[in-house]
Amino acid sequence: MLKYVRRKVAILTVFIILCFVWMQVSHKSSCDGDCKKLSIIQNALFPFSYNITQKVIETHTGKVLTRKHTRLVTAVDCKHIIEGQKEEIANAKIWMTKHPKNSIPDAEYLNLTSDCNAYKRERGFLDFIVTEEEEKYPIAYSILVYQEVEQLERLLWAIYRPQNIYCIHVDLSSPKAVHNAVNAITGCFDNVFVVSKKETVIYEGFSRLQADINCMADLFQKNRKWKYFINLPSQQYPIKTNQEIVKILQIYNGANDIEGMTGNRMLPNRFKYVHKYVPQDRGKAKIYRTNVTKSVPPHNITIVKGSAYGIFSRNFVRFVIYDEKARDLLEWCKEVLSPDEYYWAMLNHNPHLGAPGSYKGPPDKKRWLAVFAKWGERCQGKYVRGVCVFGVGDLHELVAREELFVNKFHLTYQPLALDCLEEWLYNRTFNSEIVDLDFYRNLPFILR
Ligand SMILES: *[C@@H]1O[C@H](CO)[C@@H](O)[C@H](O)[C@H]1NC(C)=O
Ligand SMILES: *[C@@H]1O[C@H](CO)[C@@H](O)[C@H](O)[C@H]1NC(C)=O
Ligand SMILES: *[C@@H]1O[C@H](CO)[C@@H](O)[C@H](O)[C@H]1NC(C)=O
Ligand SMILES: *[C@@H]1O[C@H](CO)[C@@H](O)[C@H](O)[C@H]1NC(C)=O
Ligand SMILES: *[C@@H]1O[C@H](CO)[C@@H](O)[C@H](O)[C@H]1NC(C)=O
């Protein structure tokens, strides 16, 4: 009898020990190490924005990945805002005036990244779905940043996939905290790095263009696999998922998507006269227009204006880096005001140069889908230098656009605009939603 009881006690003890071990293990697997601390920091910084839950989802597209943050905004109903419902947009505006956003201090990123695995998990960098199609179609990005690292991080989160590669250009004149924070973040990834040569970026100056070229050269040399290059400033945000971007780029099939304008939209004073730089005792050099008439471009190149941003095929990037005519044109661009708005356009819209993926038709007729920006149209946010900084009221229009990215957001201006777009993109990613691709298949500039 006693023996029987003793055996029961022994079994019970073993059971209790097993329970205890199981609890420890299961606790560890959901949150090993530092992530508790991180959660506290994050919750303090996003008191209402995110509801962090954990679950594992399987996708019908193949890979199984964990989904941690729901990226669900709890303060307002983003779905209603995106549908354009006036009351919810008004609610959001009231909520935002009562809850101004405190962005993550740049210096805080040193703390947040002290444990890279915890950082990536907590900040959502392990939340993605990668289909086989996406895995085989890596994309290279450059991102220009000069302040507010959180906004860079939010953009990186939206486009981050392990097969892609990212070059971050930090303005040489940015505060040390920005450089340190970006170094700390990039140090947590194999496929995100800081450009090897930083430029002091001057508004409307040549260094802005050089910054992208530095990234292009690094990306080209570091990785042989990527198919397309896209350049972004940290204030842009995607309105297509990586899966959609891959499908669209495959349709482009090597064609670049670079804007081109001719005629009186070209702002001729920018290239009719030589521009020079005067170094300042404090701060960045200033640009001024001389009275000296500028020479015509080399190699019989016609002047075309475009945007600083675009979508560039790998072979086009090779051409930019190695071709002598491309380099001669770059030299000519040094005395132009805002040369980044001419260089890509002139390479892409002068077919006799033979730049790969360039456009043969009339420049103004080509649709340009890299970036949507609102200029002088009805902006629901505010205008800065003539460009709309989006507010919550703009989202309804933005999500219906055919472009791949939108420009621009300010992290602390109507912060729910970016929060809601993020939630929307997150949902689309996990629901594997794909836009109607026929629109892209019928574009006249794609290569068939
Ligand atoms: C987070 O979401 C879960 C499930 O949707 C819900 O039960 C919980 O109350 C939410 N937590 C907060 C803090 O909103
Ligand atoms: C995203 O999905 C969640 C969960 O299904 C839903 O509650 C939310 O309204 C969706 N958000 C948007 C912007 O569609
Ligand atoms: C980083 O963490 C340390 C200790 O946990 C703290 O003293 C410091 O203030 C934190 N730094 C920032 C920028 O929050
Ligand atoms: C440029 O021309 C203007 C008007 O003719 C003149 O006032 C100015 O001094 C000139 N500037 C230089 C640098 O030659
Ligand atoms: C320069 O281009 C024009 C057309 O844009 C052409 O008519 C002309 O022959 C070209 N000149 C040279 C030297 O190639």
Side-chain angles (χ1 to χ4, degrees):
M1 187 63 192
L2 199 71
K3 209 169 163 188
Y4 176 73
V5 169
R6 224 187 261 149
R7 203 157 73 204
K8 263 208 149 167
V9 168
I11 289 168
L12 205 67
T13 310
V14 167
F15 181 73
I16 287 168
I17 289 171
L18 280 175
C19 269
F20 183 74
V21 168
W22 179 80
M23 274 165 68
Q24 291 296 311
V25 168
S26 65
H27 175 73
K28 203 169 162 43
S29 67
S30 71
C31 190
D32 30 271
D34 279 61
C35 82
K36 202 164 178 189
K37 188 180 110 200
L38 284 160
S39 284
I40 292 163
I41 292 169
Q42 190 165 48
N43 288 340
L45 290 161
F46 300 112
F48 305 99
S49 281
Y50 296 117
N51 183 347
I52 299 162
T53 61
Q54 299 203 339
K55 57 181 166 184
V56 175
I57 63 152
E58 264 178 60
T59 70
H60 57 278
T61 36
K63 298 220 161 175
V64 181
L65 289 145
T66 54
R67 173 183 191 174
K68 289 209 194 86
H69 305 234
T70 56
R71 295 272 164 177
L72 206 55
V73 177
T74 51
V76 289
D77 188 333
C78 288
K79 195 160 184 283
H80 289 168
I81 288 174
I82 283 171
E83 284 163 2
Q85 290 188 18
K86 294 218 163 60
E87 313 90 274
E88 197 58 7
I89 289 169
N91 286 341
K93 286 183 181 166
I94 293 166
W95 189 88
M96 288 185 291
T97 56
K98 289 187 188 151
H99 303 87
K101 174 164 173 71
N102 297 312
S103 36
I104 299 179
D106 296 332
E108 183 63 40
Y109 278 95
L110 299 185
N111 281 7
L112 285 168
T113 56
S114 60
D115 175 341
C116 283
N117 287 331
Y119 167 73
K120 288 200 258 187
R121 202 168 42 238
E122 285 298 308
R123 299 291 295 156
F125 282 102
L126 304 178
D127 299 354
F128 44 72
I129 289 181
V130 181
T131 62
E132 215 179 310
E133 185 184 34
E134 289 170 86
E135 198 168 24
K136 288 188 183 142
Y137 207 89
I139 302 165
Y141 285 95
S142 80
I143 309 176
L144 252 67
V145 63
Y146 67 100
Q147 62 175 19
E148 198 113 70
V149 175
E150 186 191 339
Q151 190 160 0
L152 162 76
E153 191 207 27
R154 300 273 290 268
L155 169 63
L156 183 62
W157 172 82
I159 58 176
Y160 182 77
R161 300 294 185 277
Q163 74 276 11
N164 292 344
I165 179 163
Y166 308 85
C167 173
I168 317 286
H169 183 282
V170 188
D171 188 337
L172 196 55
S173 67
S174 290
K176 205 159 180 4
V178 174
H179 291 274
N180 290 343
V182 176
N183 287 342
I185 293 171
T186 57
C188 283
F189 298 91
D190 292 335
N191 56 338
V192 186
F193 64 92
V194 174
V195 68
S196 61
K197 188 172 180 300
K198 292 173 182 171
E199 305 286 335
T200 299
V201 177
I202 297 167
Y203 180 66
E204 297 189 316
F206 179 77
S207 52
R208 162 71 190 74
L209 174 57
Q210 187 66 53
D212 270 336
I213 294 175
N214 294 352
C215 266
M216 278 181 166
D218 284 354
L219 288 162
F220 198 81
Q221 183 250 319
K222 269 184 200 284
N223 179 301
R224 293 158 190 275
K225 292 191 205 136
W226 56 264
K227 315 281 189 197
Y228 266 94
F229 167 85
I230 300 175
N231 62 343
L232 306 169
S234 58
Q235 293 86 3
Q236 283 189 20
Y237 205 79
I239 49 169
K240 300 284 175 278
T241 67
N242 190 71
Q243 196 181 6
E244 289 173 318
I245 293 174
V246 164
K247 285 182 186 293
I248 292 166
L249 295 181
Q250 283 178 330
I251 292 169
Y252 280 11
N253 193 28
N256 306 312
D257 194 354
I258 297 172
E259 189 181 30
M261 315 175 212
T262 60
N264 50 17
R265 293 159 76 206
M266 288 212 296
L267 310 179
N269 279 340
R270 290 181 173 185
F271 54 81
K272 266 192 184 160
Y273 301 99
V274 170
H275 289 79
K276 291 212 177 293
Y277 294 79
V278 207
Q280 306 291 303
D281 288 341
R282 277 158 172 259
K284 297 179 175 185
K286 287 218 159 69
I287 308 174
Y288 73 98
R289 177 176 300 158
T290 69
N291 290 345
V292 182
T293 308
K294 192 158 167 49
S295 60
V296 294
H299 305 293
N300 204 14
I301 295 173
T302 303
I303 300 175
V304 180
K305 190 186 172 299
S307 166
Y309 307 108
I311 299 175
F312 311 84
S313 74
R314 185 182 181 98
N315 285 336
F316 181 85
V317 172
R318 186 202 313 272
F319 185 85
V320 168
I321 300 169
Y322 295 112
D323 186 84
E324 221 159 282
K325 285 171 280 173
R327 283 160 170 252
D328 291 343
L329 179 61
L330 189 65
E331 208 49 42
W332 181 86
C333 280
K334 285 184 176 166
E335 296 165 340
V336 173
L337 191 66
S338 296
D340 48 359
E341 295 184 2
Y342 295 88
Y343 185 57
W344 310 126
M346 287 165 78
L347 288 178
N348 196 54
H349 295 280
N350 276 279
H352 71 281
L353 287 177
S358 62
Y359 187 64
K360 313 227 161 18
D364 302 87
K365 288 269 161 68
K366 187 195 153 296
R367 262 302 295 266
W368 179 59
L369 297 161
V371 192
F372 171 68
K374 275 196 201 180
W375 300 83
E377 298 149 62
R378 248 172 62 83
C379 171
Q380 306 290 314
K382 64 172 179 185
Y383 286 105
V384 175
R385 285 175 178 152
V387 185
C388 179
V389 175
F390 300 122
V392 281
D394 290 302
L395 294 183
H396 179 60
E397 181 189 347
L398 293 184
V399 299
R401 300 285 319 180
E402 284 127 351
E403 285 84 356
L404 275 55
F405 288 81
V406 291
N407 187 23
K408 60 183 161 183
F409 291 95
H410 283 178
L411 190 62
T412 51
Y413 175 75
Q414 294 208 17
L416 285 173
L418 195 60
D419 290 355
C420 281
L421 193 61
E422 194 172 72
E423 178 182 313
W424 174 83
L425 187 74
Y426 187 85
N427 283 4
R428 288 181 57 78
T429 303
F430 281 92
N431 298 336
S432 293
E433 285 175 52
I434 307 290
V435 282
D436 181 5
L437 294 169
D438 281 343
F439 167 80
Y440 302 93
R441 290 191 189 104
N442 291 323
L443 288 166
F445 69 82
I446 63 170
L447 295 177
R448 285 163 214 278

